[in-house]
Amino acid sequence: MRQSAILQFVVSLVVLSVVALAIPAHAADDASGIAAARQRGTLVVGLSYPLPAYVAGVKFRTPESPESRLSEALATALKLPLGTPRVSAVNVAQALAAGRADLMLMLVSEGDPAPANVALLPTGYSAGAMAIMRSDTNIKRWDQLKGRTVCLSQGGAYVGKMAAQYGAIEKVQRAPADTLLSLRIGACDAAVLDDTMLNELLKLPEWKKFSARLPVTSRQNLVFAVRADDGATITYLKQQSASWASSGFWAALKKKWVNNVAFEVYLDQNVPDCH
């Protein structure tokens, strides 16, 4: 009788242990990514450079990267409010595992391996560094930026790289409009921004005088980073990216970026172009 009771107790402990091991995994899966966002009532997208909070009276500025716009589009599709904490790409696996973000948007170079336990999904956007200058510039190669002033945008992918790789003197501005305005008034020898957006901007006639450019370098893809075991979120993001690709979303985004930035430069340019 006593042995039977002990055996039954041991079996019960084993069953409870199996259940205990199974519950966290199931709960984590249910609470991951899009599911967690819906349960919480807020989509949390980690960004390497969240936009500063808007301050009344401060001029609006269009950011360089479409990260914020993509986050907003995703939140709109899910009909959820949006949160965008700062998350470093170096810490993306830890942030996702700890639930500090439902997913992250990050730039990766071709061939870069995904962090452990993280799946990387293309958004459809890629960009490289493009330097534009006055059409009469004597700068013809990237290495000729040494000792020259290069304007970049705060939070941009190329901040720090121009100085490290080419010995340029970096002048970091608040946003693309400020970077491009500095180029127009002669405050820098070159402006370096995403080629995907600059190629569209340079189609405007008012930018003909600043159409000299250097070959694109440092190309990267903007990707969603999610937990590798979060199949539901991976499927959803693949569908969303496919929808953007087929709906004209990217063409509209680039057109809006160019129109906004060109208008912001126009409004602030109160001195003639440098001659």
Side-chain angles (χ1 to χ4, degrees):
M1 179 77 175
R2 181 178 176 82
Q3 289 180 340
S4 176
I6 292 174
L7 180 60
Q8 185 176 3
F9 177 72
V10 171
V11 171
S12 298
L13 284 179
V14 171
V15 171
L16 287 173
S17 297
V18 171
V19 172
L21 288 172
I23 288 175
H26 178 68
D29 183 66
D30 284 349
S32 62
I34 300 301
R38 286 176 169 144
Q39 290 172 11
R40 186 190 312 112
T42 302
L43 176 67
V44 180
V45 180
L47 302 179
S48 58
Y49 179 69
L51 296 183
Y54 177 72
V55 178
V58 175
K59 294 174 182 176
F60 176 79
R61 284 291 187 259
T62 299
E64 179 173 358
S65 171
E67 288 180 353
S68 297
R69 180 68 189 92
L70 289 191
S71 301
E72 292 166 0
L74 200 57
T76 298
L78 290 167
K79 299 180 180 179
L80 291 173
L82 175 66
T84 53
R86 184 185 295 273
V87 176
S88 168
V90 175
N91 301 319
V92 60
Q94 297 92 322
L96 293 173
R100 294 198 300 273
D102 302 318
L103 58 126
M104 182 180 176
L105 279 163
M106 56 188 280
L107 288 166
V108 297
S109 299
E110 291 287 348
D112 280 357
N117 304 316
V118 174
L120 302 180
L121 311 171
T123 63
Y125 181 86
S126 69
M130 175 183 278
I132 64 169
M133 302 149 290
R134 279 186 54 89
S135 55
D136 58 359
T137 184
N138 61 1
I139 299 173
K140 308 299 180 183
R141 304 188 311 272
W142 283 98
D143 59 9
Q144 291 178 324
L145 292 177
K146 184 176 182 179
R148 308 295 283 268
T149 301
V150 175
C151 285
L152 306 113
S153 297
Q154 187 175 0
Y158 317 114
V159 174
K161 294 182 179 179
M162 298 298 106
Q165 294 180 13
Y166 308 113
I169 300 168
E170 294 190 1
K171 186 173 183 178
V172 182
Q173 308 281 47
R174 178 185 164 202
D178 306 289
T179 298
L180 294 166
L181 178 60
S182 292
L183 175 67
R184 293 190 74 101
I185 65 176
C188 52
D189 299 296
V192 177
L193 297 167
D194 280 0
D195 73 310
T196 301
M197 299 304 189
L198 280 184
N199 280 325
E200 296 299 313
L201 182 77
L202 294 179
K203 293 176 183 179
L204 301 178
E206 61 265 34
W207 285 92
K208 184 177 181 180
K209 192 164 62 175
F210 299 89
S211 59
R213 65 193 82 180
L214 297 178
V216 178
T217 185
S218 303
R219 180 161 294 282
Q220 294 179 298
N221 297 315
L222 184 61
V223 301
F224 291 115
V226 299
R227 277 178 30 195
D229 63 354
D230 187 0
T233 299
I234 290 171
T235 298
Y236 181 85
L237 292 176
K238 285 181 177 179
Q239 292 171 344
Q240 191 62 53
S241 295
S243 174
W244 288 338
S246 62
S247 66
F249 172 86
W250 287 111
L253 185 147
K254 288 189 287 186
K255 182 178 180 180
K256 185 175 181 179
W257 188 95
V258 168
N259 290 342
N260 287 350
V261 171
F263 187 61
E264 290 162 18
V265 173
Y266 169 78
L267 287 179
D268 275 16
Q269 188 169 357
N270 52 18
V271 294
D273 290 335
C274 179
H275 292 285

